[in-house]
């Protein structure tokens, strides 16, 4: 660990008096520092374990002590028993369906460092063997890798090579995480993958992965990269994603109906979203026959007078109007764990201005009474995501500064990319895109936004920042400056220029909670999706941190 046990005990001694009913709890250090990773910006993550059946809050409390940010979580023995039981039950069924949040909590505890009451710590760790957990994590990552590579192969059939390469990159990361988990490296957060691979020593597959970690790193063209990625995925032990065009079929999406009116075709999704198709798109839509191989559908579209149908069907796929499937195994459902939830993309409404700002909906003038051109629930969800994206920007910036300070160049690159993608989540949310596309696609999905002075400036800068390399202090300093300038531009565009620096002080965190709480109340009233599970605890506490003792 980068901190001594004496230092950790000193921080714990300062923490305990500030937390209600903490005196009799066992305490562990968990997270990146307990794993042997971490840097000067890493949180001190304390988990307090109560020997009780209590239902303790999910949301952590943050303290700022001796120049460090201390995060305090609580769990009762009953809650921990239920967590491990849920993992064990799912392992006998479908490990891929396990919640990443649940796995993360279990992993952090199993790899934690005891600081108080080691007997109770040993008792709860004994609820699951680490070897069994390794197997679960190996299968969980393998499931996601399999789905990502299958999705990449489907996109390649549709002529979307760059997007397919991005999903190949995601699938390879998931495959190497599966391979590493089988060898004891179960930490979920991908930003520490470079250090996990370093810790595993001189392994040929590690070297192969580094060569193919991204399309840019590989030096290959997109088509070659996709093929090489599929081969390496298989070598990493993930089966069921071998290239075979006949296995990729087109499937019906639930809740989607077609409504022609005269010569115009409308497609209705989930009884609330209506897509109107142009003549060319309508011909491509009519050519789709569910259950057939995707390659056959494309050939039929060409023969029926719908040339270049691939990009159109790819758009139907993104918008959730059709599904790709793997013959004999059902729909392909790719996901990127620990990133923005993926799903059907909703394109922005037809407007040239941002619809959503941190302060509220954009209005047309002083006396305007404008109807927001999106459903109320989606408007509320987009505003909450916009707020949360700004919190993630702050968090990623802290990670970047810490990595630069420790000269962890690979970690710095990943943190810089995370900072960029979090900012772009905010841009897409401000224009009404909700649910968001996966993180690997946010730069490319800026193409969904209407032209305008702000978006025309954001797009090229985002493409440039996505390719930044950090291998020295000079490159790191330049990257930080460029990202700070980009975040300032994004915040000006989305009305978030006054967003507090969330993780610098208690006051900044309090202001962040106040902003989030205002939008969460509206979201709860509309039954909108919350950006994170802990948001429900913030609602229950009336906007206050759940653990802090009153003074």
């Amino acid at each position: 660990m980068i901190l001594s046990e004496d230092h950790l005990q000193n921080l714990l001694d300062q923490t305990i008096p500030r937390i209600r009913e903490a005196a009799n709890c066992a305490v562990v250090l968990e997270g990146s520092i307990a794993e042997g990773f971490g840097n000067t910006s890493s949180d001190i993550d304390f988990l307090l374990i109560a020997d009780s059946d209590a239902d303790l809050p999910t949301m952590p409390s943050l303290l700022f002590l001796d120049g460090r940010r201390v995060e305090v979580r609580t769990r009762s023995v009953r809650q921990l028993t239920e967590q491990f039981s849920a993992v064990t039950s799912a392992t006998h069924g479908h490990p891929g369906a396990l919640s990443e949040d649940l796995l993360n909590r279990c992993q952090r505890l199993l790899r934690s460092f005891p600081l108080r009451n080691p007997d109770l710590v040993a008792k709860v760790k004994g609820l699951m063997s680490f070897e069994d957990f390794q197997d679960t994590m190996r299968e969980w990552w393998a499931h996601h890798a399999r789905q990502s590579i299958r999705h990449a192969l489907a996109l390649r059939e549709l002529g979307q090579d760059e997007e397919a390469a991005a999903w190949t990159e995601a699938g390879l990361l998931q495959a190497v995480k599966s391979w590493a988990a089988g060898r004891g490296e179960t930490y979920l957060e991908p930003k520490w993958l470079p250090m996990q691979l370093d810790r595993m020593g001189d392994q040929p597959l590690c070297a192969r992965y580094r060569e193919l970690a991204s399309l840019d790193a590989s030096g290959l063209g997109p088509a070659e990269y996709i093929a090489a990625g599929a081969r390496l995925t298989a070598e990493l032990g993930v089966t069921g994603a071998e290239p075979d065009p006949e296995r990729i079929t087109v499937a019906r999406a639930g809740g989607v109906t077609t409504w022609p009116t005269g010569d115009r075709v409308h497609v209705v999704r989930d009884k609330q979203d209506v897509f109107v198709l142009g003549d060319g798109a309508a011909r491509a839509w009519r050519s789709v026959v569910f259950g057939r191989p995707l390659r056959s559908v494309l050939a039929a579209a060409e023969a029926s007078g719908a040339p270049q149908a691939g990009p159109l069907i790819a758009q139907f796929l993104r918008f959730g109007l059709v599904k790709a499937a793997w013959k004999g195994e059902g729909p392909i459902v790719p996901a990127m764990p620990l990133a923005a939830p993926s799903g059907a993309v909703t394109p922005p409404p037809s407007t040239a201005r941002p619809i959503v700002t941190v302060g509220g909906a954009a209005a047309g003038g002083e006396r305007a009474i404008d109807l927001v051109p999106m459903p109320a629930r989606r408007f509320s969800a987009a505003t909450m995501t916009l707020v949360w994206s700004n919190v993630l920007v702050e968090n990623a910036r802290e990670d970047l500064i810490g990595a630069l300070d420790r000269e962890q160049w690979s970690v710095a690159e990943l943190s810089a990319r995370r900072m960029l993608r979090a900012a772009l989540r905010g841009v897409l949310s401000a224009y009404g895109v909700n649910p968001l596309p996966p993180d690997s696609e946010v730069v490319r999905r800026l193409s969904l936004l209407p032209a305008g002075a702000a978006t025309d400036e954001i797009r090229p800068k985002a493409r440039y920042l996505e390719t930044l390399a950090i291998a020295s202090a000079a490159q790191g300093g330049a990257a930080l400056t460029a990202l700070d300038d980009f975040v300032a531009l994004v915040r000006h565009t989305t009305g978030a220029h006054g967003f507090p620096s969330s993780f610098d002080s208690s006051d900044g965190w309090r202001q962040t909670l106040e902003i989030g709480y205002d939008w969460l109340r509206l979201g709860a009233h509309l039954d909108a999706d919350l950006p994170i599970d802990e948001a429900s605890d913030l609602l229950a506490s009336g906007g206050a941190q759940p653990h802090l003792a009153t003074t």
Side-chain angles (χ1 to χ4, degrees):
M1 295 188 294
I2 64 172
L3 298 176
S4 69
E5 186 173 353
D6 286 344
H7 189 176
L8 293 169
Q9 290 287 357
N10 179 264
L11 288 170
L12 183 59
D13 289 342
Q14 297 179 63
T15 299
I16 292 296
R18 299 171 187 243
I19 304 299
R20 291 195 301 266
E21 302 176 5
N24 297 320
C25 289
V27 183
V28 298
L29 174 76
E30 58 178 15
S32 59
I33 293 179
E35 284 281 344
F37 305 138
N39 53 51
T40 53
S41 287
S42 296
D43 291 344
I44 308 297
D45 296 314
F46 289 140
L47 175 66
L48 278 59
I49 302 171
D51 194 2
S52 72
D53 293 333
D55 191 12
L56 300 179
T58 302
M59 180 181 173
S61 288
L62 265 63
L63 302 172
F64 297 85
L65 304 172
D66 292 349
R68 303 296 301 228
R69 190 170 61 248
V70 177
E71 185 171 299
V72 182
R73 294 179 183 270
T74 54
R75 281 288 183 279
S76 67
V77 170
R78 177 190 61 79
Q79 287 176 307
L80 295 175
T81 301
E82 290 175 353
Q83 283 181 197
F84 285 118
S85 295
V87 172
T88 301
S89 298
T91 299
H92 298 304
H94 180 30
L98 280 166
S99 156
E100 60 198 52
D101 183 60
L102 172 65
L103 290 171
N104 193 35
R105 290 175 188 174
C106 293
Q107 194 279 336
R108 289 163 68 92
L109 175 57
L110 286 172
R111 298 279 287 182
S112 65
F113 182 80
L115 294 170
R116 293 197 178 178
N117 197 343
D119 291 340
L120 180 55
V121 174
K123 173 185 172 182
V124 294
K125 285 189 177 186
L127 294 169
M128 172 173 276
S129 76
F130 186 67
E131 290 75 16
D132 288 344
F133 186 75
Q134 280 183 238
D135 291 340
T136 299
M137 289 306 308
R138 177 176 53 79
E139 289 298 322
W140 186 79
W141 280 114
H143 165 78
H144 288 296
R146 187 176 299 114
Q147 294 291 304
S148 293
I149 296 299
R150 287 176 176 180
H151 187 58
L153 295 172
L155 289 168
R156 186 185 64 177
E157 289 295 310
L158 294 168
Q160 308 297 291
D161 282 3
E162 287 192 6
E163 192 173 342
W167 274 103
T168 300
E169 178 181 334
L172 277 172
L173 185 146
Q174 294 157 356
V176 80
K177 289 287 282 185
S178 171
W179 177 79
R183 288 154 180 78
E185 291 289 347
T186 56
Y187 195 73
L188 268 77
E189 175 56 62
K191 73 181 179 183
W192 298 111
L193 178 59
M195 297 186 71
Q196 287 181 293
L197 297 182
D198 288 344
R199 193 155 65 180
M200 293 174 68
D202 187 16
Q203 298 270 359
L205 286 176
C206 291
R208 290 279 311 285
Y209 170 73
R210 287 189 175 99
E211 292 170 359
L212 294 176
S214 69
L215 177 62
D216 292 338
S218 72
L220 301 173
E224 295 171 296
Y225 179 70
I226 296 161
R231 288 194 298 270
L232 180 55
T233 298
E235 291 180 48
L236 288 164
V238 177
T239 60
E242 296 76 19
D244 182 355
E246 292 301 310
R247 296 295 301 272
I248 303 169
T249 65
V250 182
R252 191 184 301 276
V256 174
T257 56
T258 304
W259 294 88
T261 55
D263 294 330
R264 186 65 69 189
V265 174
H266 303 86
V267 182
V268 180
R269 185 182 69 179
D270 297 330
K271 297 184 179 180
Q272 62 180 357
D273 298 313
V274 179
F275 295 82
V276 59
L277 307 183
D279 292 344
R283 285 194 295 272
W285 180 258
R286 291 189 183 102
S287 72
V288 173
V289 178
F290 299 118
R292 286 189 179 178
L294 181 55
R295 182 168 288 187
S296 298
V297 168
L298 291 170
E302 186 77 26
S304 65
Q308 298 182 328
L312 292 170
I313 295 177
Q315 200 76 316
F316 297 154
L317 183 63
R318 293 185 193 106
F319 293 163
L321 306 182
V322 300
K323 289 184 178 292
W326 196 259
K327 191 173 183 178
E329 296 187 32
I332 298 169
V333 186
M336 297 181 65
L338 305 175
S342 58
V345 176
T346 298
S350 56
T351 176
R353 68 176 189 273
I355 299 169
V356 176
T357 71
V358 169
E366 182 179 345
R367 299 176 62 84
I369 306 176
D370 294 337
L371 177 66
V372 177
M374 57 190 301
R377 287 183 64 193
R378 195 157 71 234
F379 166 69
S380 178
T383 55
M384 289 188 290
T385 303
L386 173 58
V387 171
W388 184 239
S389 73
N390 280 279
V391 176
L392 291 179
V393 166
E394 294 291 320
N395 182 256
R397 189 178 189 277
E398 288 287 306
D399 288 341
L400 174 56
I401 291 172
L404 293 176
D405 183 63
R406 298 282 294 185
E407 297 185 351
Q408 297 165 340
W409 308 130
S410 295
V411 175
E413 275 194 19
L414 291 173
S415 299
R417 185 175 297 185
R418 180 167 167 255
M419 184 175 172
L420 168 67
R421 290 174 172 176
L424 294 181
R425 290 190 205 180
V427 174
L428 291 167
S429 297
Y431 279 83
V433 179
N434 185 274
L436 288 168
D439 275 9
S440 66
E441 294 183 32
V442 288
V443 174
R444 278 165 290 279
R445 293 287 77 78
L446 291 176
S447 62
L448 293 172
L449 303 185
T455 55
D456 290 349
E457 187 175 0
I458 286 171
R459 285 191 192 95
K461 289 185 176 180
R463 287 194 293 268
Y464 165 73
L465 290 171
E466 190 182 36
T467 63
L468 281 181
I470 299 177
S472 67
Q475 287 182 329
L480 179 60
T481 299
L483 284 164
D484 281 344
D485 290 343
F486 182 75
V487 168
L489 170 63
V490 166
R491 286 182 168 173
H492 177 76
T493 301
T494 60
H497 45 274
F499 199 87
S501 183
S502 306
F503 300 111
D504 281 350
S505 67
S506 297
D507 186 58
W509 183 242
R510 178 187 56 78
Q511 293 178 53
T512 301
L513 291 181
E514 289 174 355
I515 294 171
Y517 181 62
D518 286 342
W519 285 114
L520 285 171
R521 286 192 301 166
L522 175 60
H525 176 68
L526 295 170
D527 197 26
D529 292 334
L530 302 180
I532 52 172
D533 290 342
E534 286 90 340
S536 58
D537 288 329
L538 183 59
L539 278 169
S541 68
Q545 300 196 72
H547 300 107
L548 300 190
T550 55
T551 56

